[in-house]
Every structure is written in structure tokens, then in C-alpha cells.
Amino acid sequence: MILLIAYEKGGTGKSTLAKNLSVYLQQQGRDLITVDTDPQQTLYRWSEVRKSNPDVKPINCVKLTGRHILSELKSLSTKYQDLVIDAGGADSPALRAAMSIATHLLMPLQANVGDLEILDHMTEVLEQAQMINPDLHTRAVVTMCPALPSMAGVILDAKEFCKMKKVQPLNAIIYRRQAYDLSSLSGLTALESNDPKARQEVLELANEFLEV
């Protein structure tokens, strides 16, 4: 499986999902490697911190940039059961290369106008990728939601907007919780935190989206 987590905007929780889904796959006994194509290198830095934590199994991460990224991704895909790719928040050659060979694409977005406006261009890029990669399994997920009852309607509206743009949203939702940020400081994830709600969110997302 080649799992790509991508959206053409920063701050939507891509790296957070990459960390948590990588640990989920590790806990399932999968042989995986993570790939960071984002110039900010959030996933790579987290991986290095995790390696220094003796209480957990490390997860290797490689940084890939430049024009040879497609051939490098193809090479990695022959050596591991799973690749988890964290893409930068922009349309780029790296994003398009990863979309051309990914088996799964997860697009995290917040339920706000700025994030939803980007979906128009993101779907254009997706349509081009599907000409090359027609079996790409694609879903959107609403992330970083305030845990307020008043947000329920806003979240539903965001999901309906995704459907209108022909991108199926997941039922699972990721809320804005301290467990996601605090666990990262030690190279951990919400799955390894003491927050049962955060753990359950990740499990629901993984079970709904991944076909392992």
C-alpha cells in the first residue's frame, strides 16, 4: 500500500495523520517506511525524536525532493509493505508524482472557507492523476474540529461540499485535541497517549479508510 496524505494547503493536519496512521500500521505488524516530501520536514523530525525514545519502536523516515522522486518512490515501494507519504501543502511535482503511484489518498481539510476553496483545484489535480492511476482510493477527512455542539452543522456542510466536488468524505472526524501535539513532543502519537477520545478517533479513521 502506498498511502499519500495530501492537500494543497498548510495547517490541515497532514503530518499529524501521517504520524498516527504510521503507528497504526506498525501496530498491525506491517513493514513500513514513511516519506517526507514537505520542505518543513515535520514528519522527518518526529521520526528522529521517536528513534530516541526507548519506550517505542522507531519508524524510519526518508526525505525526498527533486526530479527523481518518482523513481525513488517506486524503488521504496518494492522494499516495504507500506509507504506513508506526507506531502507539502502546495501543488508541486512531488505531490503529482506521489499521486500517480499511490494506492490510497487521504485529503485532510478543515471546515472553513479557506480550506474548502482549495478543493476546486485539488480535484482538478486529482482528475489528472486518475488518468494515470484510475484505481486511486480517495477520501477527504474533516480535521482539527473544535469539540463544540455548534460545529456539528458546519462539519456536515463541509462534508456535503466535498460530495458536491465528487470527493467522498469519511464518517470519521478528527477534533482539535492536545493529545495530538503533546504526544509528538516525545515521538509518540495519539494512539499511544492517555486520551481515549483521540485514540478512538484515529482508530475509527484507520478502520474506515485503510484496506490493509
Side-chain angles (χ1 to χ4, degrees):
M1 179 177 65
I2 303 176
L3 169 58
L4 171 61
I5 302 169
Y7 200 64
E8 290 182 40
K9 187 176 181 298
T12 62
K14 293 183 293 295
S15 297
T16 295
L17 289 178
K19 298 169 191 175
N20 280 273
L21 291 176
S22 296
V23 168
Y24 171 84
L25 291 169
Q26 184 187 63
Q27 291 177 350
Q28 305 306 307
R30 305 285 290 184
D31 180 27
L32 76 143
I33 190 167
T34 60
V35 180
D36 197 339
T37 69
D38 188 342
Q40 295 183 10
Q41 298 181 2
T42 303
L43 182 61
Y44 179 81
R45 294 198 306 271
W46 169 83
S47 173
E48 291 300 296
V49 173
R50 187 176 180 89
K51 289 177 183 177
S52 66
N53 188 333
D55 297 326
V56 292
K57 291 176 62 177
I59 292 178
N60 290 326
C61 183
V62 296
K63 297 179 285 186
L64 291 184
T65 57
R67 62 179 180 175
H68 299 299
I69 186 170
L70 181 58
S71 61
E72 292 169 329
L73 287 173
K74 288 180 177 178
S75 177
L76 286 171
S77 70
T78 65
K79 300 172 183 176
Y80 297 90
Q81 282 181 296
D82 301 318
L83 268 61
V84 179
I85 307 169
D86 182 16
D91 185 2
S92 67
L95 171 61
R96 291 177 180 250
M99 289 175 74
S100 73
I101 65 166
T103 60
H104 293 64
L105 169 62
L106 183 61
M107 301 192 301
L109 51 86
Q110 295 190 60
N112 60 46
V113 173
D115 281 23
L116 294 174
E117 284 179 340
I118 302 296
L119 194 56
D120 273 324
H121 187 258
M122 188 73 189
T123 53
E124 290 179 12
V125 176
L126 176 59
E127 287 173 0
Q128 294 170 18
Q130 288 174 325
M131 293 178 187
I132 303 169
N133 186 8
D135 296 325
L136 179 59
H137 178 65
T138 303
R139 293 290 184 270
V141 59
V142 183
T143 59
M144 303 179 72
C145 300
L148 300 170
S150 60
M151 284 297 295
V154 177
I155 294 168
L156 287 175
D157 287 345
K159 290 185 176 185
E160 287 302 314
F161 186 82
C162 290
K163 292 177 184 178
M164 186 175 69
K165 297 299 179 181
K166 296 182 170 47
V167 177
Q168 184 66 29
L170 295 177
N171 293 321
I173 298 167
I174 299 297
Y175 287 92
R176 186 177 290 120
R177 303 186 190 280
Q178 286 189 332
Y180 292 106
D181 290 332
L182 294 178
S183 60
S184 287
L185 297 176
S186 303
L188 304 176
T189 63
L191 281 175
E192 300 154 310
S193 74
N194 294 321
D195 186 334
K197 291 183 178 179
R199 292 199 305 270
Q200 186 61 29
E201 285 173 9
V202 175
L203 289 174
E204 288 177 359
L205 183 152
N207 290 332
E208 182 180 359
F209 180 60
L210 297 183
E211 299 176 356
V212 179

